[in-house]
Amino acid sequence: MNPQIKQLYQIAEKPSRLILGLMSGTSLDGLDMALCRFTGQGLETTCDLIHFDSVPFSSEFKESIRALFAKETIHFPSLCTLNASIARTHASIILETLARWGVNPTDVDALASHGQTVMHCPDRTGANPHSTLQIGDGDHLAHLTGIITLSDFRQKHVAAGGEGAPLAMFGDYFLFTKAEEERILLNIGGIGNFTYLPANQDPSDILVTDTGPGNTLIDAWVRANYAEKSFDEDAQIAQSGKVDAAFLKALLALPFFEESFPKSTGPEYFNLDRIVQMVPEGLSAADCIATLTYFSAETIALAIQHYTGLEEGHVYVSGGGARNPLMMEHLAQLLPGFTIQDSAVLGIESAAKEAVLFALLANETLMDSNPASDRRLGDSPWMTMGKICLPN
C-alpha cells in the first residue's frame, strides 16, 4: 500500500485532527489561515481554533489576479501560469506562518485550500451546466509544504447539480445550529451570503443563498476613485456622502434580484462595467459609495426577509462587512426585529470563519461522516468535497 494512502487512513482513525484551513476571497485582501483542532464529525464536531492570521498579498500579486479575474477574454498562458504561482505563493506564506507560530508542518494532518476564484458561472437558462473555477493547484501546495492537501471543494457540489456556492451551510449547521433559536449566519465578503439555521434543527429546513454584492462594488469604486486606497476603512467615505435615490432604484432593478432563491453570483455580474452606466451624471464618488453601501445592506435584508419569511431572529455577521460600521447600522435599521451581532460571539472570530469552514469540510471528507439521516441539508445533498493531493 502507498504509505501516504495508509497515512490518510491513520488520520481518520485519530481521536483528533489538526487541519489548516485556507481562504482567499474575491476581495483579494490576503491569505486567511485558520489552524484548527477537530474532534468528532457531523453534529458531533468540536473545533478548537488554535491560531489565525491573515497575510496580505503584495500589490503585484493582486494585480496579476485582477488581470484575469472575472474577465470574459483572457491571456490563457497567464491563467496557466497563475494556477501554479498562486499555489507556490500560498505555500511560501503557509511555511513562514507555521514557523512563526512554532508549528512543525509534519504535525499538521491536512491543508484545506479554497483556492482563488477566477470565474463563477451559474447558468439560469438550462442550456449549460453550472460551473465555477478556483485556481492555485493542490499538488503544488502538497509537494511544497509536505502536507496532504484537500482542494477544489466546489466542483463536487456543481457535479451534483448545485451552483458551487455558497458552501458555508455545512459548517454552519455542524458548528452553530441551536435549538429554539432562529439563526442567520451572514457572511459579507465580496459577495453577501447567508445560512438560515431553523430553530427546529431540521436539516431539510436549512436555507442558503447569495444575496448580491457585499463589499465588491464598494471596494472597486474606492480603487477607481481614491489613490492608495483599496477599501472604505470604517466607512469613512460612505459616511461623508449621501444615498442617491435614483442610483439606488436603478441598482435594485437589476435582473439578478428577480431570480428565485437559492442563487449564487460573483463579481462577474456585480462589477463596475455593469453599474457605471447607471450612475447619475455629476454624482460624487462619496455619494456613489454611500449608495453602494446602502444597496448591499438593503439587498441582504430583503433576501433574509423574502427567503426565510422571518420577522425576527438572530443574525451573526462575519466577513469584511462586519467591520463596516455603516453597513451594520443599515442592517439594524432594515431588520428591526432581529438581533444583529458579530459572529465572534459564537466562539470563532468572524475574520477566521470562512477558513475554519473549509477546514471543517476537509475534516468531513477525511472522516466520511453521515450527518443527516436523509443525506440532505436544505436544498443541497450532503457529499464529501475536496480533491486529495498527496505530497510525493
Side-chain angles (χ1 to χ4, degrees), residues 209 286 325:
T209 187

Side-chain angles (χ1 to χ4, degrees), residues 204-258:
S204 65
D205 289 341
I206 292 172
L207 302 175
V208 60
T209 187
D210 282 352
T211 63
N215 304 310
T216 189
L217 292 177
I218 303 167
D219 292 351
W221 211 275
V222 170
R223 289 195 304 271
N225 290 276
Y226 294 86
E228 306 303 320
K229 289 183 180 289
S230 58
F231 69 102
D232 185 13
E233 186 173 4
D234 295 327
Q236 292 176 6
I237 301 171
Q239 294 193 78
S240 72
K242 296 180 180 179
V243 175
D244 183 85
F247 186 25
L248 179 63
K249 182 178 179 180
L251 291 166
L252 292 171
L254 286 167
F256 173 81
F257 300 108
E258 297 298 321

Side-chain angles (χ1 to χ4, degrees), residues 312-341:
E312 58 184 28
H314 295 262
V315 178
Y316 299 95
V317 189
S318 61
R323 299 188 295 276
N324 183 317
L326 187 58
M327 184 92 72
M328 296 291 279
E329 181 182 319
H330 288 329
L331 285 172
Q333 293 169 347
L334 292 162
L335 295 168
F338 290 79
T339 300
I340 299 175
Q341 299 172 276

Side-chain angles (χ1 to χ4, degrees), residues 42-55:
L43 287 173
E44 303 303 315
T45 301
T46 61
C47 174
D48 180 17
L49 178 58
I50 299 171
H51 291 290
F52 172 73
D53 202 356
S54 184
V55 174

Side-chain angles (χ1 to χ4, degrees), residues 272-352:
L272 292 191
D273 289 342
R274 183 181 298 275
I275 69 164
V276 70
Q277 59 193 334
M278 302 177 187
V279 180
E281 186 175 354
L283 194 66
S284 71
D287 287 350
C288 284
I289 293 169
T291 306
L292 291 172
T293 302
Y294 190 86
F295 171 57
S296 290
E298 182 166 11
T299 52
I300 288 168
L302 289 171
I304 289 173
Q305 292 165 334
H306 292 170
Y307 193 28
T308 70
L310 296 175
E311 296 182 356
E312 58 184 28
H314 295 262
V315 178
Y316 299 95
V317 189
S318 61
R323 299 188 295 276
N324 183 317
L326 187 58
M327 184 92 72
M328 296 291 279
E329 181 182 319
H330 288 329
L331 285 172
Q333 293 169 347
L334 292 162
L335 295 168
F338 290 79
T339 300
I340 299 175
Q341 299 172 276
D342 190 293
S343 67
V345 300
L346 298 177
I348 293 175
E349 61 178 290
S350 58

